[in-house]
Each structure stands twice: as structure tokens, then as C-alpha cells.
């Protein structure tokens, strides 16, 4: 094997290095080789990953760069147009489908639904297989949101659908998903809809309750630096009450596990963006490598774990104004670290099982101090409240994947097999998962259209 390929394998496999497994680059008589030090199961995972990567590097077939997937709209005619409207929050461009009036449906589209679905399924199947071949912690989520154009030809604001489709596919066009949706009104509307559901769409998880209305929230803190995003669950200190003047006898919460991931979206192991023009919600699927605690940013982790939060009115947890508030802290030992952090937010997250699947719908109420550091949270109310919606598997958490991402040859450990009547292929499992995403989107979409 060529030395360049061995070095490339070493750089890729080196991401999985930790206290329990090491990959070393060696050389003997001018020949480069890889050396693995780990238990037998871990070595097997690394060797199989190395063989897969080597096959890809040697192959003459270039990797497909799909760009933005565009779900074919339903029922458009020759009079339909796509309007480019400026989003007031992001100042990016939001495409909006304007139906035609001539009544001619089933217009021939640049890409049919069957070809789109086949291409999307295959790409996600292959992407998950690649993302999961290294024994390192990954967090996988599908986010619902609104597609925004970031770069596009300036000047034109109205497109026929075929021209719009071609423009989005151009290599210089780019987009992103706006996941911060609406305001307090929309957040309350979506939360009430999920909690008051009696049709079995939104169900409690585990034994925490028997009704969706009784699901209790979890709390999280998120902050950003130039290089990374940090998020940590906030857990109550049982039996400890606050002594601060602002929140006497309030429950005390503290970060207990700090999780870090790169701030650059290009560092994602898998990033699939899907535009559904004509729909109120689009989605993206991403797999992101994350690290726990003090491996990369020990100063930030120590600072965040030193923080204390007060939760008042805990007997009324479903009110949007009830969430942990940062205690005033005059500690100066971490002042230089605190100055590096910005865009602080406290999330109130509700997790519901979708029907009888293993998939979880998370509705997160975000209290954001945009542009402000952590200590700014003690000086004023949130600058913005919005809502985020994401979907993930019940066992996709970082803690559950600590032993490596051994997801099975056909992703059977990662994705549901549908009705379970017969063994499902990986692409079938992906198709079933995408159907779940579509069903959740179609269920929640009318709530956005009713916004005030």
C-alpha cells in the first residue's frame, strides 16, 4: 500500500485515539504501516474501518457531493413561482413557493420523487455507515427548521421552479437550516400541542409518566467560543436549597457533564440538508463528534462546572418563565475564561416518544442571551425566546455510544426496521426513519402557519 494512503489512514483513524486505544504510524525498511494497541474488539473495529477507508482511497470512483437535497413539491403547475424573501432574523433568504392558478398539476419536475428518495436514502445509508465505523462518540440528530439561502445569484427575486432547482444545485449556491423558530407564542403553541395530544402521536418515555401532559422538562446550558460549542445538562442538587437573596429556598442546579463539539459545521461527520420548498419546515441530519469534560478545553469545563443556578416555582414547571437562573457570582478566578464565551442560552427540553417507535421528538424552549457571555445572564432577562425541534433515537446519546459506534451491517442497532415483519436492509431502515421525519414535520407544520 502506498505510503500516502497509510498516512491518510493514520490521520483519519487517529481521531479515535483515547486512553483505551491507540493508533501509531510506523516505518520499517522504508515501508509505512499502522500499529494498533487496544483490546481485541476495538482492534477489530479499527482494522475494519482502515480496510473500508483504504478501499475508498484506492477506488477510482469519486465521492458524491450531493449539495442540497430538494424534495419535489406536490401539485405545482406552470404558473407556480418560487419567491425569495428576506428573513428578518437571519437576513438570509427564505424560498417560498407561490402556487399557480392554471390548475395543471403533475408538472414534469427536474427530479422525480422516486429518484430523489432513492438518492437520499442511499447517501444517508452510506454516510451513517462511514460515520459509524470509528469507535468514537458521535451525537446524531435530525433538526426541523427553515431552509435559508446564504449564497446565490444576486438580483433575481422570482424564479420558475425549474430555474430555482437549477440555481440551488449550482456549486456556488449554499444554504443553512434556521433551527431557532418563532418566539414565545410559537414555543407555547408547539409545547401545548405535544403535551395535550391524546391521539398517541406524542407519548411519554420510560416510566416517567403515563400521559404526555405529565412529561417533565430537562434543563441544559449552552455557550459558544470561537472554536467550540459547549452544552451541559443541569441537574438538581438533591436536598440543597439556594441561600441567595434573589432566590431564597429555590432548588439549586449545576452542570454535571460538559460536552464539547467543534463550532465549524464543516467538521460534522455527516451533514445532510433537505429543502422542501412549499412546506413550512425543512430538515437536516447531522452526526457530530463530541468530547466529554476536560479533554480539549479544561479551563472552560472547570469554569462551567463551578456555576450554580436557582430554579424557583418548580411546582409549576410548564410555565415558560420557569427555568434555572444563574446565581450572581463575583468569582474572578475564571474571569479570563468567562470572557471567551458568548451566546449563552438555557434550554427547557421536553422529550416525547413518537408513536410506538424508538424515536424521540425533543421540543426545546430556548432562552437566549445572544451576543452575551455567561455572566450577562445575571444582569438582564433573555434577549430572545424561541423553540427548537429535533428527532433522535432513544439510545443515540453520547453515554450509550461510549464503547464505539458498532451499528451493525445494516444499521440494525441504530434504526428501527419498520413493521418488524421481516429483516430490513439498511436503506429500508433509512427510508422508514425519513418517513418518521416527514410525518413529524407534517404534524407540526400547521402550527407555524398559525403564528401571529
Amino acid at each position: 500500500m502506498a505510503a500516502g494512503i497509510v498516512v491518510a489512514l493514520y490521520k483519519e483513524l487517529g481521531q479515535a485515539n483515547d486512553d483505551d486505544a491507540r493508533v501509531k504510524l510506523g516505518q520499517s525498511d522504508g515501508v509505512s504501516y499502522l500499529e494498533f494497541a487496544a483490546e481485541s474488539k476495538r482492534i477489530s473495529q479499527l482494522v475494519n474501518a482502515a480496510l473500508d477507508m483504504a478501499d475508498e482511497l484506492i477506488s477510482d470512483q469519486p465521492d458524491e457531493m450531493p449539495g442540497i437535497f430538494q424534495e419535489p413539491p406536490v401539485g405545482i403547475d406552470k404558473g407556480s413561482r418560487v419567491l425569495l424573501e428576506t428573513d428578518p432574523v437571519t437576513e438570509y433568504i427564505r424560498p417560498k413557493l407561490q402556487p399557480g392558478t392554471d390548475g395543471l398539476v403533475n408538472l414534469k419536475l427536474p427530479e422525480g420523487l422516486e429518484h430523489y428518495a432513492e438518492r437520499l436514502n442511499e447517501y444517508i445509508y452510506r454516510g451513517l455507515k462511514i460515520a459509524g465505523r470509528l469507535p468514537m462518540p458521535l451525537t446524531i440528530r435530525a433538526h426541523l427548521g427553515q431552509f435559508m439561502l446564504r449564497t446565490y445569484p444576486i438580483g433575481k427575486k422570482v424564479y420558475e421552479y425549474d430555474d430555482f432547482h437549477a440555481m440551488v444545485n449550482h456549486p456556488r449556491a449554499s444554504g443553512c437550516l434556521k433551527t431557532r423558530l418563532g418566539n414565545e407564542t410559537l414555543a407555547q403553541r408547539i409545547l401545548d400541542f405535544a403535551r395535550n395530544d391524546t391521539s398517541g402521536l406524542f407519548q411519554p418515555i420510560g416510566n416517567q409518566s403515563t400521559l404526555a401532559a405529565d412529561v417533565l422538562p430537562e434543563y441544559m446550558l449552552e455557550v459558544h467560543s470561537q472554536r467550540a460549542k459547549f452544552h451541559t445538562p443541569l441537574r438538581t442538587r438533591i436536598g440543597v436549597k439556594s441561600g441567595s437573596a434573589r432566590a431564597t429556598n429555590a432548588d439549586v442546579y449545576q452542570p454535571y457533564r460538559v460536552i464539547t463539539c467543534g463550532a465549524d459545521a464543516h467538521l460534522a461527520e455527516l451533514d445532510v440538508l433537505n429543502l422542501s420548498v412549499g412546506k413550512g419546515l425543512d430538515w437536516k441530519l447531522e452526526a457530530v463528534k463530541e468530547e466529554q469534560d476536560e479533554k480539549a478545553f479544561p479551563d472552560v469545563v472547570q469554569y462551567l462546572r463551578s456555576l450554580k443556578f436557582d430554579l424557583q416555582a418548580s411546582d409549576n414547571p410548564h410555565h415558560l418563565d420557569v427555568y434555572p437562573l444563574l446565581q450572581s457570582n463575583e468569582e474572578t478566578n475564571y474571569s479570563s475564561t468567562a470572557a471567551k464565551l458568548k451566546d449563552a442560552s438555557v434550554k427547557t427540553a421536553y422529550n416525547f416518544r413518537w408513536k410506538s417507535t424508538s424515536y424521540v421528538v425533543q421540543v426545546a424552549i430556548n432562552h437566549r442571551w445572544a451576543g452575551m457571555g455567561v455572566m450577562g445572564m445575571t444582569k438582564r432577562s433573555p434577549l430572545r425566546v424561541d423553540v427548537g425541534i429535533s428527532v433522535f433515537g432513544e439510545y443515540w446519546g453520547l453515554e450509550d455510544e461510549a464503547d464505539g459506534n458498532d451499528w451493525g451491517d445494516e444499521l440494525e442497532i441504530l434504526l428501527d426496521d419498520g413493521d418488524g415483519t421481516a429483516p430490513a436492509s439498511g436503506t429500508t431502515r433509512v427510508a422508514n426513519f425519513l418517513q418518521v421525519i416527514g410525518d413529524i414535520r407534517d404534524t407540526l407544520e400547521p402550527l407555524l402557519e398559525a403564528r401571529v
Side-chain angles (χ1 to χ4, degrees):
M1 187 179 296
I5 292 179
V6 175
V7 172
L9 293 177
Y10 169 71
K11 291 180 178 179
E12 183 75 15
L13 294 168
Q15 297 181 74
N17 281 344
D18 56 27
D19 294 338
D20 298 320
R22 304 293 298 178
V23 180
K24 298 180 180 179
L25 177 64
Q27 192 173 64
S28 177
D29 297 330
V31 178
S32 298
Y33 64 91
L34 297 178
E35 180 179 316
F36 302 95
E39 62 174 359
S40 58
K41 178 184 177 182
R42 195 77 174 270
I43 289 178
S44 177
Q45 291 176 327
L46 292 169
V47 169
N48 289 334
L51 293 174
D52 288 344
M53 293 176 192
D55 288 342
E56 292 175 9
L57 292 171
I58 295 171
S59 172
D60 293 331
Q61 298 296 325
D63 288 341
E64 179 189 8
M65 299 298 291
I68 300 163
F69 285 93
Q70 299 186 65
E71 183 177 347
V74 177
I76 67 171
D77 58 36
K78 290 184 178 180
S80 299
R81 298 291 184 267
V82 179
L83 311 181
L84 303 187
E85 300 182 345
T86 301
D87 179 73
V89 176
T90 64
E91 298 186 354
Y92 291 144
I93 297 299
R94 171 74 175 155
K96 181 179 180 182
L97 182 65
Q98 184 181 69
T101 57
D102 63 15
L104 178 63
V105 297
N106 298 323
L107 183 70
K108 183 175 176 57
L109 300 176
E111 182 177 39
L113 181 60
E114 184 176 345
H115 183 261
Y116 152 83
E118 180 180 349
R119 194 166 61 91
L120 177 62
N121 289 2
E122 182 60 34
Y123 184 79
I124 292 179
Y125 168 67
R126 183 170 177 267
L128 288 173
K129 291 273 287 185
I130 292 174
R133 64 191 174 188
L134 285 180
M136 63 182 185
L138 288 178
T139 291
I140 309 169
R141 288 212 177 199
H143 297 272
L144 299 183
Q146 294 180 328
F147 175 87
M148 299 288 163
L149 275 169
R150 302 179 68 174
T151 58
Y152 65 100
I154 301 298
K156 195 171 181 179
K157 293 293 185 179
V158 180
Y159 284 82
E160 294 185 3
Y161 179 75
D162 285 13
D163 294 337
F164 172 77
H165 186 277
M167 182 270 287
V168 172
N169 277 346
H170 193 281
R172 292 188 178 180
S174 66
C176 61
L177 191 74
K178 173 188 171 185
T179 57
R180 304 174 181 182
L181 301 174
N183 51 26
E184 287 185 79
T185 301
L186 180 62
Q188 189 71 66
R189 185 184 300 133
I190 292 176
L191 180 59
D192 288 346
F193 179 84
R195 292 186 60 242
N196 296 327
D197 172 63
T198 58
S199 63
L201 297 179
F202 296 90
Q203 300 182 12
I205 297 174
N207 298 320
Q208 61 173 309
S209 59
T210 58
L211 298 173
D214 297 327
V215 171
L216 295 175
E218 301 173 357
Y219 304 105
M220 290 169 278
L221 169 69
E222 181 179 301
V223 293
H224 296 248
S225 71
Q226 283 189 322
R227 295 170 51 200
K229 178 179 76 174
F230 306 88
H231 61 101
T232 172
L234 301 175
R235 293 291 175 86
T236 183
R237 297 179 62 186
I238 298 175
V240 177
K241 295 293 183 179
S242 176
S244 68
R246 184 182 68 174
T248 303
N249 210 38
D251 294 329
V252 176
Y253 280 70
Q254 274 191 281
Y256 85 104
R257 178 168 54 93
V258 180
I259 302 170
T260 308
C261 68
D264 189 346
H266 295 293
L267 298 177
E269 300 298 316
L270 178 65
D271 191 352
V272 181
L273 180 57
N274 186 83
L275 164 62
S276 305
V277 67
K279 297 281 189 179
L281 288 170
D282 309 291
W283 58 265
K284 71 177 294 185
L285 177 67
E286 63 179 4
V288 180
K289 179 184 177 183
E290 297 190 327
E291 296 182 351
Q292 293 189 58
D293 293 334
E294 302 187 29
K295 291 183 178 180
F297 300 91
D299 55 337
V300 174
V301 170
Q302 291 172 22
Y303 167 59
L304 293 179
R305 296 187 70 173
S306 73
L307 300 175
K308 294 183 177 63
F309 294 76
D310 296 326
L311 179 66
Q312 291 181 300
S314 57
D315 56 341
N316 187 21
H318 305 307
H319 196 285
L320 262 59
D321 289 335
V322 175
Y323 58 91
L325 295 170
L326 181 66
Q327 292 182 7
S328 179
N329 188 346
E330 303 301 327
E331 176 64 60
T332 59
N333 291 340
Y334 296 105
S335 58
S336 61
T337 300
K340 302 175 185 176
L341 304 176
K342 61 180 182 178
D343 295 337
S345 62
V346 172
K347 299 174 180 286
T348 303
Y350 289 81
N351 293 331
F352 304 93
R353 184 186 306 281
W354 178 253
K355 298 182 179 178
S356 58
T357 70
S358 69
Y359 301 120
V360 176
V361 181
Q362 183 176 94
V363 178
I365 313 301
N366 306 307
H367 303 84
R368 300 187 186 277
W369 288 261
M372 300 179 65
V374 173
M375 298 315 300
M377 300 167 67
T378 65
K379 296 178 172 61
R380 62 176 300 168
S381 299
L383 300 179
R384 182 175 180 82
V385 177
D386 54 48
V387 61
I389 306 166
S390 59
V391 184
F392 54 93
E394 185 175 359
Y395 303 108
W396 289 7
L398 186 62
E399 291 177 325
D400 300 302
E401 295 173 358
D403 293 330
N405 304 316
D406 187 8
W407 296 336
D409 292 338
E410 295 299 327
L411 305 178
E412 61 267 22
I413 302 175
L414 188 69
L415 300 176
D416 285 359
D417 59 359
D419 58 16
T421 57
S425 67
T427 52
T428 299
R429 293 174 186 275
V430 170
N432 291 333
F433 175 60
L434 295 181
Q435 181 63 53
V436 168
I437 299 299
D439 291 345
I440 296 170
R441 175 196 63 188
D442 293 345
T443 299
L444 296 177
E445 181 183 30
L447 302 178
L448 274 78
E449 296 173 350
R451 64 183 182 275
V452 295

